[in-house]
Amino acid sequence: MTSGQGGRRVLALTATTLLLAAAACGSDAEPDGGETTTGGGGGGGEGVSIGLITKTETNPFFVTMREVAAEYAGEQGVELTALAGAFDGDNEGQVQAMEDLIARGVDGIMITPNNSTGVLGAIEQARAQGIVVIALDTATDPEDAVDATFATDNLEAGRLQGAYVRAALGDEEPALIMLDGTAGGTVDTFRHDGFLAGFGIEEGDPAILGMENTQGDQNNAQTAMENLLQRNPDVNAVYTINEPAARGAYAALEAQGLADQVVIGSIDGGCQGVQDVADGRYAATVMQFPAEMVRQGMDAIIEAAGGGEPPSGFVDTGSVVITDNPVDGIDSETTEWGLENCWG
């Protein structure tokens, strides 16, 4: 984990949170959950305004981001406006949220893009007006469309998942099912490709029995797994894009009495996911650190707004394998450690 604590200015201040009604008249694509947090004054970011746009406001990963951002805004004296897409994949809603924040004249925008190319026009418009734009969690394509990206190295996180699952199979010939996320996202692509590299196979390998997109949703993943199992009951390994997908996969396997024959890997590091690993629902998860993404991104905007250097490039906020069944050659932490450091 890359820590930004050395450069933080943390002050004990009280935040006043104003809940704004989300725009309800219009399509479901409108941004949800408008929320403005105004710092109590006196922090290092006093007078700075920042917008945060997450993919949704219900996924625990993004809930954590919003909560951490609100708390940190209070500590730093920042005015924070938090918006979200209506659902995972709601590119139009995120574009509308970007346009709203541009109209407000914020100093910086942090966004977890639903689509790595779908928000490029709005990002270009914001940067043309001098607004610092930072991608959190999900890189844009091209990556330099934003000033900087603070995120998990998802290729490496996927590689760690794949290497663990393959090692956990031992001498068994792999029979793999892949439950992906949303087509077109860099997170989805990096995790998928990283898993294959860590697992030691390439796209199209006969060891891959089937693949389905799940939008990272538990119910979608369960349905996808049920459908894939009808054709591929001999599966012994499952890749999942995130922990909700892993829970869906496990539910489908358990219902068929197949859970004990399958090694399931995942990525997230949410508290529920770590508990799932502790309870034996899946073998391992790769923990990421959304709080670090938010704090470091806000620090970078505050510094730039104060006349400092604007952020640039990619900042890896870290990833750690969590399992109670370690394998040779892969560094990992126990679920006890994971529950002490999880989010959500």
Side-chain angles (χ1 to χ4, degrees):
M1 173 176 170
T2 302
S3 174
Q5 292 180 350
R8 291 187 197 156
R9 301 167 295 274
V10 181
L11 301 177
L13 299 171
T14 302
T16 301
T17 302
L18 306 175
L19 297 180
L20 305 180
C25 53
S27 73
D28 287 341
E30 294 181 358
D32 276 0
E35 181 177 308
T36 298
T37 300
T38 304
E46 189 172 2
V48 176
S49 57
I50 298 176
L52 171 65
I53 305 171
T54 52
K55 293 182 181 181
T56 72
E57 63 172 353
T58 56
N59 184 304
F61 187 87
F62 303 119
V63 170
T64 295
M65 280 190 163
R66 290 161 69 94
E67 290 174 345
V68 169
E71 179 182 2
Y72 202 52
E75 294 170 354
Q76 294 299 317
V78 166
E79 180 184 302
L80 174 76
T81 301
L83 300 170
F87 52 88
D88 199 328
D90 179 17
N91 184 73
E92 183 181 344
Q94 288 198 314
V95 169
Q96 290 181 15
M98 285 283 295
E99 291 171 347
D100 180 48
L101 292 171
I102 292 167
R104 296 186 191 204
V106 297
D107 295 295
I109 296 172
M110 303 185 299
I111 181 169
T112 62
N114 265 310
N115 185 294
S116 298
T117 59
V119 292
L120 295 185
I123 289 172
E124 183 179 9
Q125 182 184 352
R127 295 183 72 190
Q129 295 191 28
I131 298 172
V132 175
V133 181
I134 291 175
L136 301 180
D137 178 59
T138 304
T140 54
D141 184 14
E143 198 170 281
D144 63 2
V146 292
D147 290 277
T149 302
F150 290 77
T152 305
D153 181 341
N154 282 292
L155 193 67
E156 173 62 9
R159 187 196 69 79
L160 288 171
Q161 185 193 161
Y164 179 88
V165 171
R166 185 63 188 91
L169 286 176
D171 295 332
E172 288 187 64
E173 285 295 318
L176 173 67
I177 282 176
M178 304 189 73
L179 297 182
D180 288 300
T182 303
T186 51
V187 167
D188 308 86
T189 300
F190 287 156
R191 290 184 183 181
H192 177 103
D193 292 350
F195 181 92
L196 292 179
F199 200 77
I201 60 176
E202 297 181 352
E203 203 74 65
D205 191 287
I208 304 173
L209 304 180
M211 295 184 290
E212 291 285 349
N213 288 325
T214 68
Q215 288 73 51
D217 176 80
Q218 181 174 339
N219 291 331
N220 289 349
Q222 182 171 345
T223 299
M225 194 71 197
E226 289 167 350
N227 293 336
L228 289 165
L229 284 174
Q230 291 179 12
R231 304 188 297 271
N232 307 290
D234 296 327
V235 59
N236 62 12
V238 176
Y239 158 81
T240 63
I241 183 66
N242 63 6
E243 288 164 357
R247 285 192 285 278
Y250 176 81
L253 288 162
E254 185 182 39
Q256 295 293 321
L258 301 175
D260 290 343
Q261 76 179 34
V262 179
V263 178
I264 303 174
S266 197
I267 298 175
D268 265 347
C271 295
Q272 180 59 59
V274 175
Q275 188 62 55
D276 287 342
V277 174
D279 293 341
R281 289 184 174 85
Y282 33 104
T285 191
V286 181
M287 179 176 285
Q288 49 186 341
F289 301 94
E292 283 301 304
M293 299 175 197
V294 169
R295 293 192 188 104
Q296 292 184 40
M298 291 179 75
D299 280 344
I301 292 172
I302 291 168
E303 182 174 350
E309 284 292 320
S312 63
F314 179 88
V315 178
D316 179 11
T317 51
S319 56
V320 176
V321 175
I322 305 296
T323 183
D324 288 328
N325 297 292
V327 297
D328 290 341
I330 299 175
D331 292 336
S332 62
E333 297 286 352
T334 66
T335 57
E336 181 180 1
W337 184 94
L339 288 171
E340 292 173 354
N341 292 276
C342 61
W343 48 263

